[in-house]
Amino acid sequence: MDRQKQRMTLTAAAMLVPLLAACGSEKADGGSASVGAGKPVTGMRWTVDSVTAGGTTHQAPTGAHVTIDRGRAEGSFGCNNFGAEATVDGDRIRLGKTMATEMACENKPMAFEETLSRTLSDQEFKARVDGDRLTLTTEKGDTVRLTKAEDAPLAGTKWTVTTPRADDRAHLTFDEKKGTVAGSLGCNKVNAKATVRDGHITLGPPATTRMMCEDSLMADEKKLLRLFDGTAKYRVDHQTLTLTSENGTSVRAVAGR
């Protein structure tokens, strides 16, 4: 197979894998796998800090990460997403060959991506967890250093709605002190009372502007409006917020987009 066809095959294969960034051994109860003295490595997102290969340390760009879960290693080199099979056995983590997208990103160190890709692909690592730090070391001494990523705070974060899409125009920001939520439904601005308690958000009736936009945006606005004047469960998973209302409306949003 020539190089161009191989590249197309790898890229296509990567697109078939849900990019949830993970490495670990799957458990029947869905719990976390552990490394060493019972320290969990799965079910959480790890930010890549640096990779040391051939005696040279390369600092990671913003966005490079691996989330550890259910027999797969998936994440981002900083620009391109990747996925690979993975297993955990004691303090050993084994990654298969990585499958990656092939985007060219401006202002991203592509040399770092190539180094990290080579270091992670088809390798066995000795893993060490120290507090919120994870270190992966190959037999020849190459090292990937990672830090457990913190969840974005619910209040004060600009949450850009991804489902429904609303062309990335819809966003919400919660103000804990004022007890409000404000933002955009995609076309019209919105604000309402918002009370957060015990994993739930009670939203008051929405006050909105009254502009008319294209049909697709107005349809998404109607879906978002179903969140208001009721109570919704919420969950923050690193940079993702999920809201599920009592009437079955589900909204997903990402932080800082």
Side-chain angles (χ1 to χ4, degrees):
M1 181 183 295
D2 61 37
R3 188 173 180 179
Q4 183 176 5
K5 289 182 178 179
Q6 185 179 34
R7 183 182 300 116
M8 293 174 65
T9 300
L10 291 178
T11 302
M15 293 304 184
L16 295 176
V17 178
L19 295 168
L20 298 176
C23 64
S25 56
E26 187 170 356
K27 291 183 167 249
D29 62 0
S32 295
S34 298
V35 167
K39 296 180 179 179
V41 297
T42 65
M44 60 195 72
R45 175 165 164 154
W46 298 92
T47 297
V48 179
D49 298 321
S50 67
V51 56
T52 300
T56 302
T57 298
H58 307 266
Q59 297 301 314
T62 301
H65 67 271
V66 179
T67 302
I68 299 177
D69 200 18
R70 297 181 180 274
R72 287 205 59 83
E74 301 173 349
S76 171
F77 296 134
C79 168
N80 285 284
N81 295 322
F82 71 90
E85 293 183 357
T87 56
V88 173
D89 184 10
D91 65 351
R92 298 284 172 173
I93 295 178
R94 172 73 189 180
L95 302 186
K97 291 184 179 180
T98 58
M99 300 289 187
T101 56
E102 290 198 345
M103 299 180 291
C105 301
E106 294 183 4
N107 303 318
K108 291 288 186 180
M110 302 308 290
F112 171 86
E113 294 219 348
E114 294 173 2
T115 301
L116 183 58
S117 176
R118 288 195 303 269
T119 304
L120 291 180
S121 185
D122 199 18
Q123 294 279 0
E124 182 173 303
F125 301 90
K126 182 174 182 179
R128 186 179 78 250
V129 178
D130 184 10
D132 62 353
R133 305 272 181 169
L134 171 65
T135 304
L136 304 175
T137 306
T138 68
E139 290 185 358
K140 62 181 182 180
D142 292 342
T143 301
V144 182
R145 293 179 174 83
L146 311 96
T147 301
K148 181 181 176 182
E150 298 296 330
D151 291 340
L154 174 67
T157 299
K158 179 181 178 181
W159 295 103
T160 299
V161 176
T162 56
T163 305
R165 290 188 58 83
D167 293 339
D168 285 340
R169 299 184 192 180
H171 58 85
L172 299 170
T173 301
F174 294 89
D175 188 318
E176 184 176 7
K177 291 183 179 179
K178 294 181 179 178
T180 60
V181 61
S184 170
L185 298 169
C187 174
N188 287 283
K189 294 180 180 179
V190 64
N191 64 78
K193 294 290 186 181
T195 302
V196 180
R197 184 180 294 112
D198 299 330
H200 292 76
I201 303 175
T202 300
L203 299 170
T208 69
T209 55
R210 296 182 178 274
M211 295 186 295
M212 294 297 295
C213 297
E214 52 265 41
D215 291 344
S216 59
L217 281 179
M218 299 307 293
D220 287 335
E221 286 208 357
K222 290 179 180 179
K223 293 177 183 177
L224 286 172
L225 282 170
R226 286 173 54 83
L227 277 176
F228 293 86
D229 204 11
T231 299
K233 292 181 180 179
Y234 81 92
R235 180 170 61 88
V236 175
D237 182 8
H238 186 57
Q239 300 290 302
T240 301
L241 169 66
T242 304
L243 296 165
T244 306
S245 71
E246 294 174 335
N247 61 24
T249 301
S250 181
V251 172
R252 288 173 62 86
V254 295
R257 186 165 164 180

